[in-house]
Amino acid sequence: MRCLSLELKLGPILLLLICATITTKAAANGDGYKQCEHTVKKWAFSSQDSEIRDDKHVLRNLLFFLHVPRTGGRTYFHCFLKKLYANAQECPRSYDKLRFNPRKENCRLLSTHDDYSMMAKLPKEQTSVVTILRNPIDRVFSTYEFSVEVAARFLVHRDLTSLSRMAKRARLKAGGVSTLDIWPWKYLVPWMREDLFARRDARIRKGQSYIITNDTYNMEEISMPLRDFINDPIARDIIHNGATFQIAGLTNNSYLAESHEVRRCVLKYQSLGQYVLEVVKKRLDSMLYVGLTENHRESATMFSNLVGAQVIAQLTKSSSNSDFSIDNGSEQRPLLPNSKSDANHQENNTYRKLKKVSSTSKDEAENINMDAGKLMEAYESCISSLRNSQSERRAKSLKRISPANFTKEARRKVPELLLQEITSLNSLDMQLYNYAQNIFAKQQALMVQNMVNSENLPSTLDEHAHNNSNSLPSWKVIVLAMTSLLSSNLKDYDFMVHPRKIPIRSTNGGGKEWNASD
Ligand SMILES: *[C@@H]1O[C@H](CO)[C@@H](O)[C@H](O)[C@H]1NC(C)=O
Ligand SMILES: *[C@@H]1O[C@H](CO)[C@@H](O)[C@H](O)[C@H]1NC(C)=O
Ligand SMILES: *[C@@H]1O[C@H](CO)[C@@H](O)[C@H](O)[C@H]1NC(C)=O
Ligand SMILES: *[C@@H]1O[C@H](CO)[C@@H](O)[C@H](O)[C@H]1NC(C)=O
Ligand SMILES: *[C@@H]1O[C@H](CO)[C@@H](O)[C@H](O)[C@H]1NC(C)=O
Ligand SMILES: *[C@@H]1O[C@H](CO)[C@@H](O)[C@H](O)[C@H]1NC(C)=O
């Protein structure tokens, strides 16, 4: 009708144009398969990084820790990275994208739950990315449990109104970043919180007449059953295939406007997920380090070898010959730094920090033990106090939803069918995890090779360190100290004493169960 009335005024040619425009627009909004395929392919093409650089094993200026929620990354952040980098070197508000501005400060470490689209804000050529992946089923369980656990803390309040009044005041006072400001918890926790309050109200209304089942993961009177949780649109939005989407830069927290269209298409047409997966695999390939939550022992050792040792070298180097060496990272071979720059460093914050854990003296051998001991103490106390406070907090908040209790026994009773459902909702992440296991094995081989190399160092390097009482400890000492720190912490001296014998373990299981926090 509109077209007809227009015809009178504008004539047939213009009419044709207008009607054609309207039709095209309708198709574009319709998310049709063809249109979606085009959108996703276009994204995949533009996201392919130019071929993998062969210096990917060399730490660049900025270390970007892409922290996938519930993979145990907090341990790495607090007990490694925070110990290696000075506060001033940490990018401000790493977990708060609103205030994040990497160009403003000359920061060296960025750790965040924000996705890969963050790279658009970073100097790409100067950024090394590291991440940790976890078995997707465990990650979903952990996400569920943590959401409920954090939400349960709020049950001290009588109702949601008194809660929000309190929260406002607390936030004004603290002015800081809380779990509730951080994606994805800023969606998951309020969702669970509302749910817990509603179920509690319902119990109160019913008096004593309700029955509580003994199945924690399906305890409708207390909390949202796991089955309902995984099938909710919110879970689809931000949990399932979360690792793939995060590394793709396609979470619903993405910085890039076009990401949201791509993401809609992939959620709508499952087969398009393969394009995303291919991009993500390539990105994993070009990362400096990929850890696995399940293999915590090996992952942590590897982290110290492939990342930690280079961080130390980089920081000591940059404090010695200022900005010159920083931009020439590609010259530096991993694990074999230039000893010359070590010799004429200037004492500095970074240096002092390192020196505290690994000071030098005439007798190197004695030092290895002493420093390893000190380092070990620091790491062990860090990790155990982190664990203790985590489990204390967890126990305290789970009391509020008793008899629900997330124990191993309770988890074993979850029906197989539900596990299969989680698997199929996370098919991209399942494939990605398999792929990451292969990368992990390759990294292990690289680490062995590095350790063999550092064993065969020309002796001049050691001598050099010997006759300069003011010099930094040699590279080898640092590597050994860090390695022994980790392996002894983990009761596995084999890593240090017999570097050639590092077992390439099967990537399934083996590691101690790791109770990841964020
Ligand atoms: C719940 O109780 C029933 C019978 O009392 C028992 O067979 C079942 O294993 C229990 N389930 C859990 C999760 O404890
Ligand atoms: C992300 O997901 C959450 C939970 O479903 C939703 O509330 C939020 O609006 C989403 N954000 C965007 C940008 O789509
Ligand atoms: C540390 O070294 C850097 C580079 O040499 C220098 O710019 C900085 O001021 C030093 N910091 C301190 C506290 O000496
Ligand atoms: C890095 O090293 C190369 C080769 O040694 C040199 O030509 C270049 O100027 C250096 N770059 C910087 C920024 O110092
Ligand atoms: C939950 O289970 C753990 C381990 O079995 C136990 O130590 C804890 O007391 C339980 N908590 C509650 C609130 O029942
Ligand atoms: C220090 O080492 C150099 C070789 O790196 C050697 O020429 C020199 O004699 C040594 N100095 C002392 C005091 O041992």
Side-chain angles (χ1 to χ4, degrees), residues 395 398-409:
L398 287 182
K399 257 189 207 146
R400 303 195 183 283
I401 52 164
S402 172
N405 194 356
F406 301 122
T407 60
K408 279 191 201 121
E409 297 76 57

Side-chain angles (χ1 to χ4, degrees), residues 202-268:
R203 286 200 304 277
I204 292 168
R205 272 198 308 278
K206 285 185 192 164
Q208 290 299 317
S209 66
Y210 60 88
I211 307 152
I212 290 182
T213 58
N214 62 353
D215 179 0
T216 286
Y217 293 95
N218 187 18
M219 208 177 263
E220 285 185 60
E221 308 292 344
I222 304 278
S223 63
M224 183 184 295
L226 178 62
R227 172 182 16 91
D228 298 349
F229 181 82
I230 62 165
N231 285 303
D232 195 283
I234 294 180
R236 229 170 81 100
D237 258 354
I238 54 187
I239 300 171
H240 303 313
N241 292 322
T244 303
F245 281 130
Q246 197 165 340
I247 298 171
L250 292 176
T251 66
N252 94 338
N253 185 41
S254 177
Y255 288 98
L256 305 173
E258 65 264 30
S259 300
H260 298 282
E261 173 90 34
V262 176
R263 169 186 173 69
R264 249 197 318 277
C265 282
V266 173
L267 289 177
K268 192 166 176 191

Side-chain angles (χ1 to χ4, degrees), residues 318-319 322 346-349:
S318 68
S319 64
S322 65
Q346 288 181 343
E347 186 140 328
N348 206 325
N349 267 347

Side-chain angles (χ1 to χ4, degrees), residues 211-401:
I211 307 152
I212 290 182
T213 58
N214 62 353
D215 179 0
T216 286
Y217 293 95
N218 187 18
M219 208 177 263
E220 285 185 60
E221 308 292 344
I222 304 278
S223 63
M224 183 184 295
L226 178 62
R227 172 182 16 91
D228 298 349
F229 181 82
I230 62 165
N231 285 303
D232 195 283
I234 294 180
R236 229 170 81 100
D237 258 354
I238 54 187
I239 300 171
H240 303 313
N241 292 322
T244 303
F245 281 130
Q246 197 165 340
I247 298 171
L250 292 176
T251 66
N252 94 338
N253 185 41
S254 177
Y255 288 98
L256 305 173
E258 65 264 30
S259 300
H260 298 282
E261 173 90 34
V262 176
R263 169 186 173 69
R264 249 197 318 277
C265 282
V266 173
L267 289 177
K268 192 166 176 191
Y269 303 104
Q270 254 191 28
S271 64
L272 296 178
Q274 290 307 315
Y275 294 110
V276 176
L277 193 61
E278 288 315 307
V279 169
V280 167
K281 283 180 178 174
K282 291 233 167 65
R283 286 200 179 147
L284 270 197
D285 278 333
S286 60
M287 284 187 188
L288 174 62
Y289 166 88
V290 176
L292 300 177
T293 309
E294 281 72 18
N295 302 58
H296 179 259
R297 174 188 302 183
E298 297 97 323
S299 292
T301 307
M302 225 185 264
F303 190 87
S304 80
N305 270 278
L306 301 181
V307 185
Q310 289 197 71
V311 172
I312 292 176
Q314 190 188 63
L315 295 180
T316 50
K317 215 175 163 191
S318 68
S319 64
S320 62
N321 35 359
S322 65
D323 40 39
F324 174 76
S325 59
I326 303 175
D327 288 325
N328 252 336
S330 51
E331 264 194 328
Q332 172 189 332
R333 276 188 63 200
L335 303 187
L336 291 175
N338 180 353
S339 63
K340 254 186 273 169
S341 58
D342 285 355
N344 51 26
H345 73 274
Q346 288 181 343
E347 186 140 328
N348 206 325
N349 267 347
T350 310
Y351 171 65
R352 251 180 262 123
K353 201 167 173 174
L354 294 169
K355 198 171 155 191
K356 249 195 284 176
V357 285
S358 54
S359 61
T360 39
S361 82
K362 295 259 150 57
D363 190 344
E364 210 173 59
E366 198 179 282
N367 254 311
I368 293 174
N369 293 330
M370 197 187 75
D371 299 336
K374 275 190 189 164
L375 261 169
M376 191 164 67
E377 272 170 40
Y379 186 75
E380 268 184 351
S381 69
C382 173
I383 228 172
S384 78
S385 76
L386 200 65
R387 271 176 164 174
N388 283 345
S389 67
Q390 266 168 26
S391 62
E392 248 172 56
R393 223 169 168 203
R394 181 178 162 108
K396 217 169 121 193
S397 66
L398 287 182
K399 257 189 207 146
R400 303 195 183 283
I401 52 164

